[in-house]
């Protein structure tokens, strides 16, 4: 939902416009806390240790689930195509009857559900 800060009155100066764009990017982009870590709200991903931290709690995720969660958080609010996710996580084309991705997403939902704030929702007919 846009806020009053998202509107500009015409005519506007170029530097004001650029400042607004920078502010929007800071609000929507992951915050880098320091090398090898990405922060999304209260979730922190330690890329080197492949661990997710939620506040003071560590969420134990297997490697594939960690990679999948990172893909989801990096693209918050965007529908992600099943085949692209499969290729980026498993580094191969999707097998015709493979349910590996569906299983991993289901497990990820279970692990992240108690930690509220984000919800994995299927978007039908997107691939």
């Amino acid at each position: 939902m846009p806020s009053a800060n998202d509107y500009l009155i015409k005519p506007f100066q170029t530097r004001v416009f650029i400042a607004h764009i920078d502010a929007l990017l800071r609000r929507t982009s992951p915050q880098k806390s320091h090398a090898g870590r990405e922060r999304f709200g209260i979730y922190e991903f330690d890329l080197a240790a492949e661990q997710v931290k939620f506040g003071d709690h560590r969420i134990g995720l297997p490697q594939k689930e960690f990679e999948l969660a990172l893909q989801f958080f990096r693209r918050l609010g965007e529908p992600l195509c099943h085949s692209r996710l499969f290729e980026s996580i498993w580094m191969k084309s999707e097998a015709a009857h493979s349910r590996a991705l569906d299983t991993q997403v289901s497990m990820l939902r279970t692990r992240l559900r108690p930690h509220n704030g984000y919800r994995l929702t299927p978007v039908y007919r997107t691939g």
Side-chain angles (χ1 to χ4, degrees), residues 7-122:
Y7 294 93
L8 292 173
I9 297 171
K10 292 182 183 178
F12 52 83
Q13 296 176 344
T14 303
R15 65 182 175 80
V16 173
F17 178 70
I18 291 172
H20 277 271
I21 297 297
D22 287 342
L24 284 171
L25 290 173
R26 279 194 308 272
R27 278 191 265 158
T28 59
S29 298
Q31 306 157 350
K32 303 269 184 179
S33 52
H34 40 85
R37 296 182 188 270
E38 290 185 25
R39 182 175 279 285
F40 304 89
I42 55 176
Y43 287 90
E44 184 176 308
F45 285 74
D46 183 342
L47 304 179
E50 292 188 347
Q51 292 182 343
V52 179
K53 191 175 176 185
F54 173 80
D56 293 332
H57 306 289
R58 293 205 184 278
I59 303 170
L61 297 176
Q63 180 188 7
K64 296 298 182 193
E65 286 179 36
F66 175 85
E67 292 173 17
L68 189 59
L70 191 56
Q71 290 286 324
F72 285 130
F73 276 90
R74 283 178 172 166
R75 291 169 181 81
L76 287 172
E78 296 178 29
L80 300 174
C81 180
H82 190 272
S83 59
R84 284 253 174 122
L85 281 171
F86 197 87
E87 288 174 11
S88 68
I89 304 294
W90 280 268
M91 305 297 180
K92 58 185 174 181
S93 296
E94 180 180 5
H97 301 293
S98 176
R99 302 293 293 177
L101 181 58
D102 297 332
T103 302
Q104 297 296 324
V105 170
S106 176
M107 296 299 290
L108 193 55
R109 273 191 190 114
T110 302
R111 289 197 170 102
L112 295 181
R113 181 174 289 136
H115 303 291
N116 66 46
Y118 296 94
R119 184 178 187 173
L120 296 176
T121 306

